[in-house]
C-alpha cells in the first residue's frame, strides 16, 4: 500500500466525515430548530402525561432554554460519542431503542443485497450465453420489469402464494427463516434492476473489446472467457452501483418490514412518527446518513484497489 493510496484514502475519509457532520447539522436544523419548538410542544401535550419536573429535566438535557448554537453544539457532541438522546415517549435512551431493532433490519438488508447481487449476475450471465430461443433477449427486459414493480406489491404476492396458499411460513412468525427469505426477495428484486442493467451494459462493452476477440480466436471457451476476462472489468462499476443502492435498501426495508410484520427500524420509525418522538426520528435519519456515507466510502476505497487507473486519475487531477 503506497503513499498515493494512503493520501487518496485520507482525503476520502475526511470528505466522508464532513458529509456526516453536515447531514447531522441539517437534520438538527430541520427537526429541532424550526419555528414552534416541536420538542417542547410534544412535551407539553396533555396526552403525553409529562409532569413539570420531567419537562424541565428534558428541556435542560436538550438545552432548549439555551441559544440555538449551544443546542447544536451539545447535540453534536453527544452524537460524536454515541449518545443519541432520550425518547420523549418511553424515557429510554434512543441508542437502546435502535439497538433492539437494528439487528433485524441489518439481517433483512444484507439478505436483500445478496438476493439482488445473485439475481443480477444470473440475469446478466443469461443475457450473454443463454441461447436466443430460450429467452436470451427476454432476460434483457427483466431489469426494467423489476424496477417497475414496487417492493410492496412483490411482498404481498409472495405472502399470498407462499404463506397463505403453500403454507411455507406463517405471517405471525415474521422473524423465521422462510419469512426472512421472502422478505429479502421482495426487497432485493427491485434493487437488482440497476445492478443488472450496469452489469449487462458493461459485459456487452467488454465482449466487444479486442482482447475478447483474440481470446475467442484462440479457442477459449465461453465459460472461461466470462470468468477469467469479462467478469472482473465488468464488475467494477457494479461496486459503485451497489454502494448507491444502500439508500434504496434502507428505504425499502421500512416498507417491507411493515408488510411482513417484522420488528425493525421501519416499525420504530412508524411508531415515532405516530407519537411525534422527534429525538428517535432525528437519530434514525442521522444513522441512515452514517450508513450510506460509510458504505460509499468503503466502495471508494476498494475501487482503486480493483482498478489502479482510478487512483492515477486522482493523482493527475490533484
Amino acid at each position: 500500500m503506497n503513499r498515493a493510496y494512503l493520501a487518496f484514502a485520507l482525503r476520502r475519509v475526511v470528505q466522508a466525515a464532513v458529509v456526516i457532520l453536515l447531514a447531522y447539522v441539517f437534520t438538527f436544523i430541520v427537526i429541532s430548530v424550526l419555528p414552534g419548538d416541536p420538542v417542547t410542544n410534544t412535551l407539553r401535550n396533555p396526552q403525553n402525561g409529562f409532569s413539570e419536573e420531567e419537562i424541565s429535566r428534558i428541556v435542560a438535557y436538550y438545552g432548549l432554554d439555551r441559544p440555538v448554537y449551544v443546542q447544536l453544539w451539545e447535540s453534536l457532541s453527544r452524537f460524536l460519542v454515541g449518545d443519541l438522546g432520550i425518547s420523549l415517549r418511553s424515557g429510554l435512551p434512543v441508542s437502546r431503542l435502535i439497538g433492539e431493532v437494528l439487528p433485524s433490519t441489518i439481517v433483512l438488508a444484507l439478505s436483500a443485497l445478496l438476493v439482488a447481487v445473485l439475481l443480477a449476475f444470473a440475469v446478466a450471465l443469461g443475457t450473454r450465453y443463454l441461447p436466443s430461443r430460450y429467452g436470451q433477449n427476454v432476460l434483457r427486459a427483466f431489469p426494467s420489469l423489476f424496477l417497475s414493480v414496487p417492493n410492496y406489491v412483490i411482498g404481498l404476492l409472495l405472502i399470498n402464494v407462499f404463506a397463505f396458499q403453500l403454507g411455507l411460513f406463517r405471517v405471525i412468525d415474521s422473524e423465521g427463516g422462510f419469512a426472512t427469505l421472502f422478505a429479502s426477495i421482495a426487497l432485493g428484486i427491485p434493487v437488482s434492476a440497476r445492478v443488472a442493467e450496469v452489469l449487462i451494459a458493461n459485459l456487452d462493452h467488454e465482449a466487444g473489446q479486442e482482447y475478447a476477440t483474440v481470446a475467442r480466436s484462440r479457442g477459449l471457451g465461453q465459460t472461461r472467457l466470462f470468468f477469467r476476462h469479462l467478469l472482473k472489468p465488468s464488475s467494477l462499476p457494479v461496486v459503485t452501483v451497489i454502494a448507491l443502492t444502500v439508500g434504496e435498501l434502507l428505504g425499502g426495508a421500512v416498507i417491507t418490514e411493515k408488510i411482513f410484520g417484522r420488528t425493525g427500524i421501519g416499525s420504530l420509525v412508524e411508531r415515532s412518527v405516530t407519537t411525534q418522538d422527534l429525538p428517535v426520528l432525528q437519530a434514525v435519519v442521522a444513522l441512515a446518513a452514517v450508513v450510506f456515507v460509510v458504505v460509499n466510502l468503503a466502495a471508494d476505497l476498494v475501487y482503486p484497489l480493483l482498478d489502479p487507473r482510478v487512483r492515477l486519475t486522482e493523482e493527475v487531477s490533484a
Side-chain angles (χ1 to χ4, degrees), residues 117-130 196 199-204 206-207 211-212 215-216 220-235 238:
V117 171
L118 292 178
L119 183 59
F121 272 81
V123 171
L125 181 61
T127 59
R128 295 266 2 128
Y129 301 116
L130 190 68
L199 186 56
I200 290 172
N202 281 277
L203 283 173
D204 291 342
E206 295 297 330
Y211 74 87
R216 293 191 196 94
L220 192 66
Q222 293 283 13
T223 302
R224 294 183 63 187
L225 174 65
F226 178 82
F227 286 103
R228 291 184 57 182
H229 297 284
L230 301 182
L231 184 58
K232 181 178 178 179
S234 300
S235 300
V238 175

Side-chain angles (χ1 to χ4, degrees), residues 71-118:
Q71 296 180 37
L72 175 59
W73 174 253
E74 292 186 352
S75 178
L76 189 58
S77 300
R78 290 195 301 267
F79 174 72
L80 292 176
V81 297
D83 184 358
L84 302 178
I86 303 296
S87 169
L88 298 181
R89 298 298 300 175
S90 64
L92 297 173
V94 175
S95 56
R96 175 179 172 182
L97 296 177
I98 293 178
E100 291 175 350
V101 299
L102 187 59
S104 176
T105 299
I106 291 177
V107 170
L108 175 60
L110 292 179
S111 300
L113 181 61
L114 179 61
V115 168
V117 171
L118 292 178

Side-chain angles (χ1 to χ4, degrees), residues 188-219:
I189 287 178
V191 174
S192 69
R194 292 186 177 88
V195 180
E197 286 178 343
V198 172
L199 186 56
I200 290 172
N202 281 277
L203 283 173
D204 291 342
H205 173 76
E206 295 297 330
Q209 296 301 304
E210 184 177 351
Y211 74 87
T213 304
V214 172
R216 293 191 196 94
S217 66
R218 293 180 176 178

Side-chain angles (χ1 to χ4, degrees), residues 269-287:
V269 169
E270 180 190 12
R271 186 167 63 251
S272 300
V273 170
T274 303
T275 61
Q276 297 183 341
D277 200 344
L278 299 183
V280 176
L281 293 177
Q282 180 177 340
V284 170
V285 173
L287 179 63

